[in-house]
Amino acid sequence: MPNTSIDSLQHEERRFPPSPKFRADAVATASLYDEASADRLGFWSAQARELLHWSTDFTKDLDWSNAPFATWFEDGELNVAYNCLDRHVLAGNGDRIALHWEGEPGDSRDISYSELTAEVKRAANLLISLGIGKGDRVAVYLPMVPEAVIAMLAVARIGAVHSVIFGGFSADSIRSRVDDAEAKLVITADGGWRKGKVSALKPAVDAALAKPGDHTVQNVLVVKRGNNEVDWIDGRDLWWHEAIAAAESEHEAQGFAAETPLFILYTSGTTGKPKGILHTSGGYLTQVAFTHKNVFDLHPESDVYWCTADVGWITGHSYVVYGPLANGATQVLYEGTPDAPHGGRWWEIIQKYGVTIFYTAPTAIRSFMKLGRQIPDDFDLSSLRLLGSVGEPINPEAWVWYRDVIGAGTTPIVDTWWQTETGAIMVSALPGVTTLKPGSAQAALPGISIDVLDDSGNGVPPGGGGLLVVTEPWPAMLRGIWGDPERFVETYWSKFTTGPLYFAGDGARLDEDGDIWLLGRVDDVMNVSGHRLSTAEIESALVSHPIVAESAVVGAADEATGQAVVAFVILRSEHVDTYTTDDASALLRRHVTEQIGAIARPREVFIVAELPKTRSGKIMRRLLQDVAEGRDIGDTTTLADTSVMQIISDRLK
Ligand code: PRX
């Protein structure tokens, strides 16, 4: 399993300069930690009641008797969409802007809470008219348009379950997700704007559903955005704008049990098959609302918040849709890529809307660093008062640039550690309460219990490194892997026998103050531009090509993307002379794009004659990583054939 030893992971603590301070008048108070440590479950119950509207109050908090299967607030009832919409209107905030939507070409729409509520009500009625009801799964494959948010909330409003599929995924990836969740409906668009042009989306859905074998999809709802030509299947396909105009406008939100499934989100694990991470309603919404309010120090009446994540990822679910809307925040939603039509697009948007809280990933910061500070320097970014980082450990260079160039040297940065599985932020500094320690994700939030353990499950002393674990259940925790309870138990809860302890798959170090420094994954999961990819998934895509006999994939350090996909491939003997290595490599890069999506396209595919294996046949990825990162090759004594690494590195020179 682990292919990276803790010792080999570098931490960069000493290279970070001092940090600016948080404002003292932040919303969070030190008493949150006190309350949570005195009575963790009482604390979360109080948060659930304070932050959310329950149509039926709960009497139970956590039920852990069937661990690791948890329930939170089980006998309570709530409607997630009502919490994100109607209640803000009823509280007199209907005119507040919920979404400042900015299209990539420069078109924009401001949507108030009243308008968003009205749209979601119509969309809920439309879904019902298409036969969607409680528990049904709806796949969403949309660009970053308001309809993505509307669709997710409409699904939630009627107690159905969404499975958002990132717009960069291929037809094959769509089909496997649609099949796994047995989705009845797909909501997509003709296309969306990316990098200065329309990128078609519906053709991928059409191709996915045209693949051999039965599927469960009855309708495809199509948002018109790209105005590109699309094929049409009468009876199956419907235009969103036509169908929604015909839908009833009134819809009363009904309460659903707190454990009603809210969404499935597929993420990469250590095997070839993506896992459908399941999140439910009451506990999830409690923790995303709590963290969004306190970690980002949200003042909903005055802040303009912008999280740059796509709704196709967990950050887009928790910190674009559910957290901010549950808190009645005003936020920016941007359709396009950061560099279209010009490299200053993001900074222009911050200036235009007066963004005060900005949440993005280190990989984006690094790509702006390359373009130079003269671009952001041309914009007025003085409205910013809090910056956030997520997705990977932030390196000192990116941190300094973020603080100095974007944050004028004085804006604090919160580094937030969490995962698709955790649903919400788990480890972070807390404005107004903690000090800031640059580069460290710092401490478990109130109500969250984190530890760093060695391989045998013993806590490491200050200064020590080990594996990050969550030691107590938390409200937004995943409730399982869709359709695969065994994999859920095995992947997350079986690493330590002293449990139930949740094994996150990350290495971490505790410093002398007990603060947490994330060190990266310790399993075969890569982090490319803050997105999770599994080595096994890309390997199985490669070997599905007829010219490939065997493959090994590693995540190699990459200046721009954090890690990059590097593949080593052995061709079938009959093809060795058919293709030049350049042709084979280009062909296979294309093949991975078709199989999974452009995010998984290898930066390099090396055609090799052998792969380094142990005597038991396990590929030693660590050695391949040395090659991919241009290092001297480490210890090869456990290889079955010690000459193989020499052959590989000679070949690549
Ligand atoms: O390795 C950790 C890294 O991203 C992984 C989770 O990826 P995903 O489920 O796609 O969610 C990303 C957005 C929450 C983690 O296992 N990671 C995430 N945030 C940080 C991080 N590594 C270091 N520091 C972070 N702040």
Side-chain angles (χ1 to χ4, degrees):
M1 245 261 287
N3 65 355
T4 318
S5 71
I6 294 295
D7 297 341
S8 73
L9 295 166
Q10 296 297 314
H11 74 93
E12 308 188 83
E13 188 176 342
R14 276 164 217 92
R15 297 172 53 211
F16 281 97
S19 170
K21 291 195 172 49
F22 287 125
R23 276 184 2 185
D25 62 344
V27 292
T29 57
S31 63
L32 292 174
Y33 287 103
D34 300 337
E35 286 162 32
S37 60
D39 175 7
R40 185 173 57 89
L41 300 178
F43 165 81
W44 281 120
S45 298
Q47 291 300 330
R49 292 195 177 98
E50 183 186 318
L51 295 167
L52 305 182
H53 171 271
W54 295 81
S55 51
T56 306
D57 191 19
F58 51 88
T59 63
K60 298 181 184 165
D61 42 41
L62 166 72
D63 183 348
W64 194 226
S65 55
N66 191 25
F69 298 90
T71 64
W72 282 86
F73 316 128
E74 194 190 357
D75 58 348
E77 289 183 349
L78 79 171
N79 185 289
V80 169
Y82 177 92
N83 272 282
C84 293
L85 300 165
D86 311 50
R87 68 170 169 142
H88 303 314
V89 179
L90 294 170
N93 295 320
D95 291 339
R96 185 185 293 165
I97 298 299
L99 303 175
H100 287 298
W101 177 72
E102 183 80 13
E104 191 185 81
D107 51 338
S108 62
R109 277 169 75 185
D110 282 346
I111 304 176
S112 68
Y113 271 94
S114 298
E115 289 163 337
L116 193 62
T117 305
E119 285 288 308
V120 170
K121 285 181 175 179
R122 276 190 190 279
N125 286 325
L126 165 57
L127 296 180
I128 293 167
S129 74
L130 295 176
I132 305 299
K134 183 172 176 321
D136 286 336
R137 275 80 61 201
V138 176
V140 175
Y141 186 69
L142 282 172
M144 286 290 280
V145 289
E147 287 78 3
V149 178
I150 294 165
M152 289 163 76
L153 290 170
V155 169
R157 190 174 184 92
I158 62 169
V161 184
H162 57 69
S163 161
V164 182
I165 304 170
F166 174 61
F169 280 122
S170 66
D172 276 316
S173 295
I174 297 172
R175 180 61 187 265
S176 64
R177 285 160 172 75
V178 161
D179 284 350
D180 188 70
E182 299 178 282
K184 265 171 102 170
L185 172 71
V186 181
I187 306 179
T188 187
D190 48 359
W193 284 84
R194 278 187 64 76
K195 299 190 179 168
K197 56 182 196 314
V198 170
S199 162
L201 285 164
K202 185 168 186 286
V205 174
D206 291 338
L209 299 182
K211 288 187 183 294
D214 292 339
H215 62 73
T216 45
V217 174
Q218 294 168 358
N219 289 106
V220 177
L221 253 181
V222 188
V223 174
K224 201 174 187 65
R225 167 61 185 156
N227 287 314
N228 45 316
E229 283 283 319
V230 286
D231 290 341
W232 207 255
I233 297 186
D234 286 330
R236 185 195 73 177
D237 299 350
L238 301 159
W239 284 112
W240 169 283
H241 61 277
E242 290 176 4
I244 205 142
E248 287 288 325
S249 58
E250 245 335 294
H251 180 273
E252 198 178 328
Q254 171 199 339
F256 293 101
E259 285 297 336
T260 302
L262 178 60
F263 65 85
I264 304 168
L265 184 59
Y266 288 84
T267 189
S268 299
T270 52
T271 72
K273 188 173 179 282
K275 305 176 277 198
I277 302 298
L278 174 66
H279 283 287
T280 60
S281 302
Y284 171 81
L285 200 64
T286 299
Q287 197 181 330
V288 294
F290 172 79
T291 49
H292 183 259
K293 173 183 164 192
N294 290 290
V295 171
F296 298 117
D297 184 28
L298 181 78
H299 295 72
E301 59 298 334
S302 55
D303 275 318
V304 179
Y305 163 85
W306 183 17
C307 165
T308 63
D310 190 284
V311 291
W313 307 107
I314 191 67
T315 312
H317 284 60
S318 302
Y319 297 107
V320 176
V321 181
Y322 293 110
L325 296 176
N327 288 334
T330 293
Q331 69 177 317
V332 170
L333 188 73
Y334 173 53
E335 177 185 34
T337 46
D339 50 354
H342 56 78
R345 189 74 170 106
W346 275 13
W347 320 125
E348 184 179 70
I349 293 171
I350 290 178
Q351 173 179 285
K352 175 172 174 185
Y353 295 107
V355 171
T356 56
I357 305 168
F358 183 60
Y359 190 31
T360 195
T363 182
I365 303 296
R366 286 192 299 269
S367 63
F368 287 119
M369 283 169 70
K370 275 206 206 133
L371 301 175
R373 71 171 293 158
Q374 69 283 359
I375 299 180
D377 278 352
D378 274 348
F379 296 91
D380 178 4
L381 306 180
S382 60
S383 55
L384 290 170
R385 65 175 189 84
L386 190 72
L387 302 172
S389 174
V390 63
E392 56 178 306
I394 187 164
N395 53 307
E397 294 73 18
W399 189 92
V400 168
W401 199 88
Y402 200 19
R403 179 195 65 176
D404 289 351
V405 179
I406 306 309
T410 53
T411 310
I413 301 171
V414 278
D415 184 357
T416 61
W417 178 89
W418 60 294
Q419 308 178 300
T420 305
E421 293 86 344
T422 70
I425 299 172
M426 304 290 278
V427 178
S428 165
L430 199 58
V433 184
T434 63
T435 54
L436 264 177
K437 189 181 282 183
S440 163
Q442 299 200 226
L445 287 174
I448 301 298
S449 310
I450 299 273
D451 209 347
V452 180
L453 305 181
D454 66 19
D455 263 328
S456 342
N458 303 312
V460 304
L467 305 170
L468 190 79
V469 298
V470 189
T471 58
E472 299 289 348
W474 63 103
M477 65 193 283
L478 77 166
R479 299 300 196 264
I481 295 177
W482 187 256
D484 202 345
E486 277 159 33
R487 189 174 178 194
F488 168 65
V489 176
E490 191 193 304
T491 309
Y492 302 108
W493 303 95
S494 303
K495 172 91 186 157
F496 302 99
T497 47
T498 46
L501 295 172
Y502 172 84
F503 170 52
D506 277 289
R509 205 185 136 267
L510 284 181
D511 69 14
E512 300 300 330
D513 304 325
D515 280 325
I516 298 164
W517 293 73
L518 271 308
L519 300 172
R521 301 289 303 196
V522 293
D523 54 12
D524 294 331
V525 171
M526 281 176 280
N527 190 328
V528 178
S529 300
H531 298 147
R532 255 162 85 164
L533 294 169
S534 111
T535 52
E537 196 180 346
I538 303 173
E539 284 165 7
S540 62
L542 284 165
V543 294
S544 74
H545 196 284
I547 68 168
V548 175
E550 216 182 328
S551 76
V553 166
V554 295
D558 184 280
E559 213 178 287
T561 58
Q563 284 189 305
V565 180
V566 176
F568 295 81
V569 168
I570 304 178
L571 297 184
R572 285 180 189 278
S573 53
E574 62 270 33
H575 293 292
V576 168
D577 299 323
T578 332
Y579 294 94
T580 64
T581 51
D582 283 352
D583 286 351
S585 158
L587 178 73
L588 294 174
R589 291 178 74 230
R590 267 201 312 279
H591 179 67
V592 174
T593 310
E594 281 159 20
Q595 292 282 304
I596 304 176
I599 47 163
R601 178 171 50 227
R603 184 183 73 187
E604 286 144 325
V605 175
F606 294 121
I607 309 297
V608 294
E610 298 279 356
L611 288 170
K613 288 188 185 158
T614 59
R615 284 173 202 99
S616 60
K618 185 174 155 35
I619 294 174
M620 288 192 68
R621 290 203 180 73
R622 184 173 54 78
L623 297 178
L624 293 172
Q625 199 154 5
D626 288 341
V627 175
E629 294 178 351
R631 267 193 308 276
D632 285 343
I633 296 157
D635 182 6
T636 59
T637 47
T638 53
L639 282 180
D641 172 1
T642 48
S643 64
V644 60
M645 285 316 296
Q646 198 54 50
I647 299 168
I648 291 178
S649 39
D650 286 351
R651 174 119 194 202
L652 303 183
K653 269 180 197 147

